[in-house]
Amino acid sequence: MKRWLIWTPFVAFAAVLWVAAAELKHPADRTVRSGMVGKTLPEFTLPPSVPGKPGLDAAAFRSGEPRLLNVFASWCVPCAAEAPQLLALKRAGVRIDAIAIRDKGVDVRRFLTRFGDPYERIGDDRVSAVQLSLGSSGVPETFVIDGRGRIVAQHVGDIRADEVAGILATVRTAK
Amino acid sequence: MIAEAGLAALWLAAAMALLQLAMASIGLRARRADVAVAVRPVAVVGGVLGLVSFLCLVAVFMRSDMSVLLVAENSHSAKPMLYKIAGAWGNHEGSMLLWVMVLGIAGAAIALLEKRLEERTLVATLGAQAAIALGFFAFLLLASNPFARVDPAPADGNGLNPLLQDPGLAFHPPTLYLGYVGLSVAFSFAVGALVTRDVGPAFARAMRPWVLAAWIFLTLGITAGSYWAYYELGWGGWWFWDPVENASLMPWLAATALLHSVTVLATRDGLRAWTIMLAVVAFSMSMIGTFLVRSGILTSVHAFAVDPTRGSFILALLALYIGGAMLLFALRVGTVKAGTTFELLSREGALVLNNLLLTVILGVVLIGTLYPIVAQAGGVQLSIGPPFFNKAAGPVALALMMVLVAGPLIRWRRDAWDSLASRLIVPIGAAMLTLGLLVVFARGIGVLPFAGLVVAVGVGVGSLAPLWGRNLRRTPLFTWGMVIAHLGAAVSLFGMASDSAFTKETLVAARPGQTVRSGPFEVTFTGISPAIGPNWSALEGRLVARRGADGTPFPMRPQQRFFANPPTTTNEAAIATRIDGQLYAVLGAQGQDGTWQLRIWWKPFVTLIWLGGALIALGGALSLLGRVWRAGQVERVRAKEARYG
């Protein structure tokens, strides 16, 4: 066996190790981005999720004013963590609608009483059909929609406190 | 209290591993035989302590002790007992504890049972094993303590991922782990032999049962995992080349190569350096697999415990062990004497070819699995899927299967082409007959499936050839083992090729009352009804299937299950097994217009894939039994000679 040949496994291994170590330092962005960003909201009509609050359809997003569309569920723990940020956005003048995923009205009502209610309308999506058509893969997710029903941006996962300003800016520029 | 006892046992076991490593080093370096001799009992005590710690973890899971963080996160008091127990290892911390527990038991077994290896090499082997165990103990105790308490204790737990609530999967990880640990033992043997410069047939014979046992468990684990993915995920496929699947396939490929090369070393004293290298590579593959699955570095449909901190820890262990072993190999391999030589056309030659082809497949899988990481480093997001792997590995695998027919029919050391050709007439004839039948009856099924079917029949017939003209009752058990394992490979290949060549898929949006055709079957959709289980509720599709218009009708009940804790939907496929294949039905979503999505597959001979896997493992088990029995017999004869000689 040639002398240098003996060292090839070691060198190859060292190379793999080096790349893997470099990759661990900045973990990949694993969020599933919707292919719908930049496109118009698909047509849908959802019945109301809780009594006293209207349901949701795509036409509601063509009012000429940018809105947030929040995909959430009462059984989702990060959604509860996200609630204060949504309330902050509402206080800043952002109008927010929601889709409740695979949820029951009573549970949603309890969730809103406990964590606050930033929503104007809540559509009831029992089988996640609308969620899937939006290209959303989990809860919570938030879409920024401009006044003509076009999806401007998607935020995957719960909105953290330090991300509120960024979303606010996106909504302002979507006008 | 149980949790604290388990943690204490874990610390003590770690201390034993440290002691074991220190004593082995002192014994070897200072040539202190009195110190070296104590390594064996220390290994046994360490193994027992590891077992105690693991049993403590199982106990807290069985009692649903929610004050233990791990239990709260992964169990639920309403869960069936089997899954409470399986919950103990169905998570990151528990599975790592299982790993070191099995490693410790294996060390104890070597210390108690191994008699053929030279004492110094055995001590070095146990030292190497303690070094491996120490790293994993550090990982457990410093980065992922399974016994950590949570205060205040939650009222109830989070539950176990519903996808994992399946009897097959409860035993799937431990099976694979036994395989990985077996390979770590083979690795320790290789390091031990390199340290004492004692690479030879005796070492190979000592290592072989461990490789064989590891390989049997890996085979079983992969087969069970593949069947689980097939019936539980509801996508109708049996292999997706997912990084997690590849993580178990790569060690299997390396172990298969090692299994064959260690036989050359044991019987003919050839391939010394190569065998050592393979032992290092095989364990490297199980470590790299662990790293890929647990670091979160790769995206996979079922990667778990995504955590860069743990990833860094495993990466450090990887660097230490694999890097260290490869360095030792590069420095020492020059002192390993070349073994005996052989002609190109010989059993050894065929086994070298087998090793080369397996290594090529391993290389393809490794590159395909790691390439996305490298691309990611260059800023490109991509994933590599079945089209690449099938095209790149498929033809090599077929070539490997052809070598598999010829190999066992070739004599050791040297053979003649014409006599080999005469022995190959029957299998080649069978393959040609299949070729003719396929050309007449099944044109246009694709090149790879076509070649697969032809080769599978040839290999199936050829694998039985070593039994021809033999007295079957006096044929050694390990020959039987080889024949059955090779036959299993042919059976599996036939199943895979048949599945990709002849599967009929039907996807419809059906209304109740509608009848759908799939292959030779007629399936009538009669409606949807609710169903309820211990911790799930479901929508159940009611189907009635019959073969042909006047076949006996039989019911099929595919379900969409909803689990509350954690909220998840799973698809339970309905599978009807027939002698010539399986009818596979999945209930999809309801459309806006009230129709239901139904997906129905007719998969001819698909069951042969897993039957073949089981046969391969059975062959391995027979081989192992045969070897162990033969070794015992040699031992008995020796003892007799010593008494009367």
Side-chain angles (χ1 to χ4, degrees), chain B residues 416-481:
Chain B
W417 286 104
D418 47 349
S419 70
L420 172 63
S422 70
R423 272 170 262 154
L424 281 174
I425 283 177
V426 178
I428 289 178
M432 287 302 136
L433 188 67
T434 317
L435 182 85
L437 287 174
L438 287 177
V439 167
V440 177
F441 294 108
R443 274 164 180 275
I445 55 173
V447 179
L448 266 184
F450 190 97
L453 287 170
V454 172
V455 172
V457 172
V459 173
V461 174
S463 61
L464 297 172
L467 294 179
W468 294 341
R470 267 188 177 236
N471 181 339
L472 291 185
R473 290 210 291 173
R474 304 190 66 176
T475 302
L477 211 47
F478 44 80
T479 306
W480 275 106

Side-chain angles (χ1 to χ4, degrees), chain B residues 622-634:
Chain B
L622 288 180
S623 258
L624 185 59
L625 273 179
R627 297 274 178 219
V628 170
W629 188 75
R630 169 70 69 90
Q633 205 178 30
V634 171

